[in-house]
Amino acid sequence: MKRSILLVEDEENLLKAIRLNLELEGYEVIPAIDGESAVTIFRSSAVDLVILDVMLPLLNGFDVCEKIRETDREVPVLFLTAKAQGEDKVRGLRLGADDYITKPFNLEEFLLRVNNLLRRSPKKHLAQEMLQEFRFGNNLVNFSTYEASNAVGSLQLSKREAELLKLLISRNGQVVSRGEILELLWKNEESPTGRAIDNYILNFRKYFEENPRAPRFFHSIRGVGYRFTG
């Protein structure tokens, strides 16, 4: 699975150039052009690295970094800025940034820094790969056998149900977009739709919720995706 990078840069030409070079290195790049959209994307996506310009519209890079660190202390943050003042570097590092590079920069050096940070970054998909069994409420799911149990009895999940359930649980508390789900689980099919995922979520509520009309675990976020909270 590709490592995912959130690239936050408001200079369009620079954004395109950095994105192109990162994608040529095999990374998945999620772009953002202002601080507020960067925070929204970060909270709804699983990323392995944040590359963050300091001078941004709406929220500056320092504010974005601070908000990221409120919920995630592990994802590496690389500040990318035209400012070379020592106080900016110190401020960024105090907020939890992992590295700092000043524009204009040497592309080879920049890519080496990205690679080094990603080597130290915990892989967001690793939890999903290692997850074999999970208990929430009165429910227990075994992802090796596709078996599950609830307060009433046991049931057998389909392979697709188990894969989707595993993905959502591995991102506990995070919104997983429809697009990401379709790409990861339906990638070999020609015309999947978001409605297909809706049906699986409805089934999960029937299987695992005490009151499917007032779900505790499985939530639909209108226009975005789905979130498991357990």
Side-chain angles (χ1 to χ4, degrees), residues 48-214:
D48 300 293
L49 171 67
V50 180
I51 299 175
L52 184 59
D53 190 16
V54 169
M55 303 300 292
L56 292 168
L58 303 182
L59 283 178
N60 65 46
F62 297 128
D63 291 336
V64 174
C65 183
E66 191 169 20
K67 288 183 178 297
I68 286 173
R69 287 295 179 242
E70 288 174 359
T71 58
D72 192 322
R73 305 296 302 179
E74 295 183 340
V75 64
V77 175
L78 169 63
F79 267 122
L80 182 65
T81 179
K83 288 191 172 183
Q85 289 92 334
E87 59 268 23
D88 284 340
K89 181 177 181 179
V90 170
R91 182 181 177 188
L93 294 174
R94 282 179 174 169
L95 288 171
D98 298 87
D99 202 355
Y100 195 105
I101 191 167
T102 303
K103 298 181 285 187
F105 53 83
N106 177 278
L107 178 60
E108 184 176 1
E109 178 189 357
F110 169 72
L111 293 174
L112 283 172
R113 290 185 185 225
V114 167
N115 182 61
N116 288 338
L117 288 172
L118 285 170
R119 282 193 301 175
R120 305 201 303 263
S121 171
K123 294 185 179 181
K124 296 295 184 179
H125 61 272
L126 188 59
Q128 182 185 349
E129 294 173 355
M130 296 179 64
L131 187 62
Q132 297 300 318
E133 190 174 87
F134 189 80
R135 184 182 298 276
F136 57 103
N138 294 318
N139 309 296
L140 177 66
V141 180
N142 186 312
F143 294 104
S144 299
T145 62
Y146 304 157
E147 294 175 334
S149 61
N150 53 30
V152 178
S154 60
L155 60 146
Q156 186 71 41
L157 302 173
S158 69
K159 183 174 185 292
R160 181 60 55 75
E161 285 177 327
E163 289 176 342
L164 177 55
L165 189 58
K166 190 174 187 179
L167 173 61
L168 293 173
I169 288 175
S170 72
R171 305 280 186 86
N172 195 344
Q174 296 183 352
V175 179
V176 186
S177 71
R178 288 181 176 85
E180 184 176 4
I181 292 172
L182 292 172
E183 180 181 354
L184 291 174
L185 303 186
W186 274 265
K187 54 189 173 185
N188 295 322
E189 297 184 13
E190 294 183 358
S191 56
T193 65
R195 184 61 186 168
I197 308 174
D198 290 337
N199 290 332
Y200 281 104
I201 298 299
L202 289 174
N203 286 340
F204 291 160
R205 290 172 179 166
K206 292 176 184 176
Y207 298 158
F208 303 117
E209 300 280 7
E210 290 185 11
N211 182 358
R213 294 182 178 274

